[in-house]
Amino acid sequence: MVTALDTLHRVFGYEAFRGEQAEIIDHVVGGGDAIVLMPTGGGKSLCYQIPSLVREGTGVVISPLIALMQDQVDALAALGVRAAFLNSTQSPAERASVEQQYLSGELDVLYLAPERLTMPATADFLDRGKIALFAIDEAHCVSQWGHDFRPDYLALSMLHERWPSIPRIALTATATEQTHAEIAKRLRLGDARHFVSSFDRPNIQYRIVPKDQPQKQLLEFLRTEHPGDAGIVYCLSRASVEKTAEFLTENGIPALPYHAGLPAPVRAANQARFLRDEGTIMVATIAFGMGIDKPDVRFVAHLDLPKSVEGYYQETGRAGRDGLPSTAWLAYGLQDVVQQRRMIDQSEGDAAHRRRLTAHLDAMLALCETVECRRQQLLAYFGEKADACGNCDTCLTPAESWDGTVPAQKLLSTVVRLKRERGQKFGAGHLIDILLGRQTPRVDQYRHDDLATFGIGGELSEPEWRGVARQLLAQGLLAVNSDGYGTLVLTDDSAAVLSGERAVRFRREPERSARRPGNRTKSGVSKPGSLSPEALPVFEALREWRASAAKEQGVPAYVVFHDATLRELAERRPVSHEQLSTITGVGEVKRERYGDEILGLLAAQSDVDTPRSTAGSAESIHHLRERSDDPLSME
Ligand code: ADP
Ligand code: ZN
C-alpha cells in the first residue's frame, strides 16, 4: 500500500510532515472527520491532497474560488497529480470530459464550487464514481458573522446526510472561537476531531507606524525594504485603491488596482498578472486575497486601519507563505479612528450590531497603541500565550509609555469649553490649533483665542497632540459625534480624567521605525533569508530560468518551483538526479521534467564562478564534466 510518507517524498518532494499534518492525514486516511484550524502557509493543502492520493477514489475539494481553480489544478498537475475542476467557466464539452475522467476513476482530486455541489444533478453524478473524501476549504465561509460569508456553504450540511460514511475535512485559517464553533455546528461536524495549530507566523515582521503622509511613507517603505518584491497594499475605499495604484505606477513601481467596482474581466486579468509576474504589487480593497496562494508575497501593507484584528491577521497572513522573511506594515493615524467610529455610527443594523463593530475596532486600536510585543497581543487575541517575539516593531525598538494625564486634561477641557460656546462643532485640527495658540482664521472667527486653554499646549508638537487625540479616542476617553462632521465629544469616562481621579498613559512613538536587518542585494532584488554570497548569483540565474519555464507553460513561476527550492538548489548545488531528489520541493515528476536542465544550469554556473587562478579553463571545464557525468563523484 502507498503510505502517506511515501507520497510526501515522491510526489511533493518534501522530507517530513510539518506540525500536525501527519496526525491529520492519518486520521482522514483512516476515514475520520476533521476540523483543521491552521494559519495561512501552515500547510493545509497537503492535509487533503495526500489522503486523496492514498485513499481509493477521488478527493472532492469544495472551494469558493472559481477564479483560482485553474491555478490550483495546474500546480497539482505539475506534480503529476491527476486534478481537474468543474465550474461555470467551462464549456459543456470541457465539463463532459472532466466528468468522464471522474467516472472512469482517472482523477485524484476534483475541485467544485459549493453551489455546484449542492445541485441534485451533481450529487447523483458523484454517486456514479468513487469519492475518497470531501475537503471543505475556506470553511469559515459558513460563518454568518465573518466577512467571507457564502450562503451556499450552509447547504454543505447535506454532505453528512447524503454520504455519512465518507470522511470530511473542513479547513480554515480563521482562528476565533466563534468561527470554530460555527463550522462544527453548521457543517454537522459534531463527531469530527479538532486540530488547532499555533497561529504564530514567525517569519512575518509586524510593524505599525504613525500615519503622516501615507503615500510617501509607502513609497519609502517599498523602495528601501522591498524593491522588486511582490506584495499587497490594502486600502479602505475604491477611490484610494485607484489613486494609490496610479501613484505607485507613476513612481516606477509596477502596481495594479483590484476592487469590487472594477469589471470582472479587469479584476481577473489583474489577479492573473499579480500571480504570474514576479514583483508586481496589488493595490486592493479587502475584496482581494482569499485563497490567493502565491507563496512569495513579501509584504502586506495597510494604508488604512482594518476594522478588526481578525481581518488584519487574515490579510497580513497572505505574506510569506513560503516561510521566508516578510513584512506586515500598517500606517495608522487619528483620521482612521475618526473615520471608523463615524462609519460604525452610520452603519445599518441594530445597537447590538454596532456594539460588535465597536468591540472589533477597539481590539484593533489596542493592538495599534500597545507598548508590548505586537505578536504577543495578536496571539492573545486568538487565545494563545506567547513570549515577546523579537521580530515586531515594539520588540525591535521598544516604545515607551508616558504619563499623559495633564495633556489629556488640557485637550479634554478644550472640548468642554468649545461645547459651552459653540455646540461642539470642531474637529481635532481646530482643537490642536487652539492648544498651540495659533491665530487661524477660524480661531479669529469664533474668538477662540479668548478661551482659557488657548496656547497652553506648547509642551507638545502638533504630531504629538495628534497622537494624544488619537489615543484618547482609542481609549474611549474621547468620542466622535455622529453628526457626520468628525466633531469630538466627551464620553462617560472623560470626567474622571478631567477631575484627576484617573491617570492616562500614552505610547511614545519611537524616533525611527524599526527596519528589518540588511537583507538586500545591490541590485535591490530581495535575497531570501541568509543566502550566502556564492549562492546569490546562482539563485538569480535559477530565477531567470524559472521565469522562462513558467512563461513557456503559461503558469505562475511558483508552479515550477518555489523560492525556497531555488534557494536550496543554489546553496547545495546538486550534481546528480539522486542529489536533486533530496532538495525540498523536488518530487519525482519535477525531477524528471526539469532535472537535466537544472543540473546543466548549475554546472554552467560553477564554471562561471570557479576561481580563474588555474587560468586553464579547459581544465576546470574538464573537471566539471567529470563531476556531472558521475553522479556520485561529489562528497
Ligand atoms: P495553507 O493552505 O495552510 O495556507 P499551503 O498548503 O499552501 O498552506 O502550504 C504552504 C507552503 O508550505 C506551501 O508552499 C507548501 O508547499 C509548503 N509545505 C506544506 N507542507 C510542507 C511540508 N511538510 N514540508 C515542506 N513544505 C511544506
Ligand atoms: Zn514582538
Side-chain angles (χ1 to χ4, degrees):
M1 200 193 83
V2 199
T3 68
L5 193 59
D6 254 4
T7 310
L8 181 76
H9 295 160
R10 199 171 38 80
V11 177
F12 296 91
Y14 296 147
E15 193 51 36
F17 284 115
R18 268 190 200 158
E20 292 189 291
Q21 279 176 335
E23 273 179 282
I24 297 167
I25 290 168
D26 210 42
H27 180 70
V28 176
V29 167
D33 292 341
I35 295 179
V36 174
L37 272 60
M38 211 185 256
T40 309
K44 285 186 284 301
S45 326
L46 287 187
C47 297
Y48 58 83
Q49 288 166 350
I50 291 185
S52 297
L53 288 163
V54 172
R55 280 177 65 92
E56 197 195 328
T58 304
V60 177
V61 183
I62 296 131
S63 156
L65 304 152
I66 290 180
L68 295 171
M69 285 182 183
Q70 184 67 57
D71 282 345
Q72 289 169 322
V73 164
D74 285 346
L76 285 174
L79 298 168
V81 176
R82 302 171 305 172
F85 60 82
L86 284 176
N87 71 32
S88 49
T89 66
Q90 291 164 307
S91 69
E94 283 170 324
R95 275 206 292 272
S97 141
V98 170
E99 285 170 8
Q100 198 45 52
Q101 290 170 50
Y102 168 74
L103 294 174
S104 31
E106 289 163 17
L107 285 182
D108 302 310
V109 177
L110 174 64
Y111 286 88
L112 292 179
E115 57 274 17
R116 179 162 296 270
L117 178 66
T118 48
M119 298 188 308
T122 309
D124 293 343
F125 153 73
L126 287 177
D127 266 339
R128 287 191 280 133
K130 174 99 186 133
I131 307 167
L133 58 89
F134 287 108
I136 301 153
D137 205 8
E138 314 286 356
H140 63 283
C141 289
V142 81
S143 162
Q144 278 170 290
W145 306 119
H147 51 266
D148 290 330
F149 175 57
R150 307 277 168 123
D152 287 312
Y153 263 68
L154 293 175
L156 294 177
S157 59
M158 64 79 118
L159 295 176
H160 176 60
E161 286 127 48
R162 175 123 190 182
W163 293 285
S165 62
I166 294 178
R168 292 171 300 150
I169 171 171
L171 312 105
T172 181
T174 299
T176 55
E177 209 24 70
Q178 192 191 17
T179 316
H180 186 175
E182 258 191 286
I183 290 172
K185 185 167 149 226
R186 301 202 184 280
L187 295 177
R188 307 277 224 96
L189 280 162
D191 295 330
R193 210 172 127 188
H194 296 227
F195 297 89
V196 182
S197 305
S198 164
F199 268 72
D200 189 16
R201 299 287 310 280
N203 61 312
I204 300 181
Q205 182 178 93
Y206 290 94
R207 298 198 339 237
I208 301 179
V209 304
K211 195 194 280 191
D212 173 20
Q213 295 167 287
Q215 291 196 332
K216 223 176 121 206
Q217 287 172 288
L218 175 68
L219 193 62
E220 154 94 7
F221 166 69
L222 296 178
R223 285 199 171 140
T224 55
E225 298 185 51
H226 288 286
D229 283 347
I232 307 174
V233 177
Y234 281 110
C235 304
L236 202 57
S237 72
R238 296 172 184 186
S240 62
V241 162
E242 300 206 352
K243 265 200 305 237
T244 307
E246 238 165 68
F247 168 79
L248 290 178
T249 310
E250 278 162 14
N251 281 280
I253 295 180
L256 300 167
Y258 190 107
H259 58 71
L262 290 170
V266 175
R267 277 194 320 241
N270 287 357
Q271 174 169 303
R273 266 189 60 197
F274 173 71
L275 294 175
R276 276 166 178 66
D277 297 358
E278 292 189 51
T280 293
I281 292 172
M282 189 65 107
V283 185
T285 61
I286 55 168
F288 177 78
M290 186 173 53
I292 293 293
D293 50 8
K294 187 175 168 63
D296 55 353
V297 174
R298 291 272 69 85
F299 67 87
V300 171
H302 282 87
L303 282 189
D304 296 299
L305 184 70
K307 293 190 174 71
S308 69
V309 174
E310 220 179 318
Y312 171 71
Y313 206 61
Q314 284 266 346
E315 287 142 28
T316 54
R318 291 169 187 145
R321 268 173 188 259
D322 54 12
L324 301 175
S326 309
T327 318
W329 183 91
L330 160 64
Y332 147 76
L334 171 62
Q335 212 41 45
D336 285 302
V337 195
V338 173
Q339 189 182 13
Q340 298 257 4
R341 292 259 194 248
R342 203 186 314 165
M343 278 165 57
I344 293 176
D345 272 336
Q346 294 167 356
S347 76
E348 292 164 22
D350 54 7
H353 178 63
R354 273 198 285 276
R355 266 201 303 280
R356 212 160 29 231
L357 294 179
T358 302
H360 280 309
L361 178 60
D362 285 343
M364 190 64 219
L365 292 173
L367 175 70
C368 291
E369 303 294 359
T370 186
V371 291
E372 312 285 327
C373 169
R374 306 263 191 216
R375 192 182 314 268
Q376 229 170 10
Q377 184 139 344
L378 275 167
L379 291 172
Y381 183 81
F382 299 116
E384 230 180 279
K385 260 197 158 60
D387 292 332
C389 75
N391 191 26
C392 71
D393 54 355
T394 40
C395 280
L396 293 168
T397 320
E400 291 166 21
S401 70
W402 58 289
D403 184 344
T405 310
V406 173
Q409 287 169 336
K410 289 181 180 176
L411 195 143
L412 293 176
S413 66
T414 307
V415 172
V416 174
R417 278 158 223 276
L418 284 178
K419 177 184 173 184
R420 226 176 270 150
E421 298 194 358
R422 292 284 162 191
Q424 300 181 317
K425 280 194 180 159
F426 303 98
H430 187 62
L431 281 176
I432 293 169
D433 285 341
I434 293 171
L435 286 163
L436 291 175
R438 287 172 172 163
Q439 210 73 49
T440 67
R442 283 196 98 198
V443 165
D444 280 346
Q445 183 186 347
Y446 294 103
R447 305 255 23 122
H448 282 163
D449 44 357
D450 289 345
L451 294 180
T453 56
F454 185 78
I456 62 165
E459 75 270 34
L460 298 182
S461 65
E462 172 167 351
E464 284 169 326
W465 275 116
R466 293 183 74 81
V468 168
R470 189 189 76 220
Q471 297 192 56
L472 285 172
L473 274 163
Q475 294 182 25
L477 295 171
L478 194 59
V480 183
N481 201 351
S482 45
D483 59 6
Y485 295 105
T487 298
L488 299 174
V489 294
L490 300 188
T491 69
D492 293 345
D493 293 333
S494 310
V497 177
L498 279 169
S499 68
E501 284 162 56
R502 176 169 170 177
V504 186
R505 294 200 75 79
F506 294 129
R507 175 189 169 93
R508 195 192 304 284
E509 309 302 344
E511 286 292 297
R512 280 189 34 206
S513 56
R515 290 267 162 78
R516 132 177 162 203
N519 220 346
R520 304 278 110 197
T521 65
K522 276 214 195 85
S523 66
V525 174
S526 65
K527 172 183 149 191
S530 52
L531 210 55
S532 68
E534 308 80 62
L536 193 57
V538 187
F539 176 75
E540 301 293 357
L542 285 164
R543 258 167 73 111
E544 254 173 61
W545 165 81
R546 178 179 66 178
S548 67
K551 200 158 173 217
E552 218 166 85
Q553 301 166 52
V555 296
Y558 60 81
V559 168
V560 177
F561 281 123
H562 287 184
D563 280 359
T565 300
L566 296 194
R567 172 184 163 179
E568 206 176 315
L569 284 169
E571 288 286 5
R572 290 178 43 198
R573 301 199 200 186
V575 296
S576 66
H577 274 259
E578 196 182 342
Q579 290 180 359
L580 256 183
S581 65
T582 67
I583 303 278
T584 307
V586 184
E588 240 169 36
V589 169
K590 287 190 180 175
R591 181 171 54 73
E592 272 162 29
R593 178 161 191 180
Y594 304 121
D596 291 341
E597 273 177 68
I598 289 176
L599 292 177
L601 183 147
L602 291 176
Q605 280 293 316
S606 308
D607 185 24
V608 170
D609 61 22
T610 295
R612 297 282 155 174
S613 57
T614 47
S617 52
E619 196 183 332
S620 56
I621 286 170
H622 175 66
H623 172 64
L624 273 167
R625 190 164 309 129
E626 256 179 19
R627 283 201 333 210
S628 51
D629 281 351
D630 176 0
L632 297 174
S633 68
M634 221 172 101
E635 269 115 59

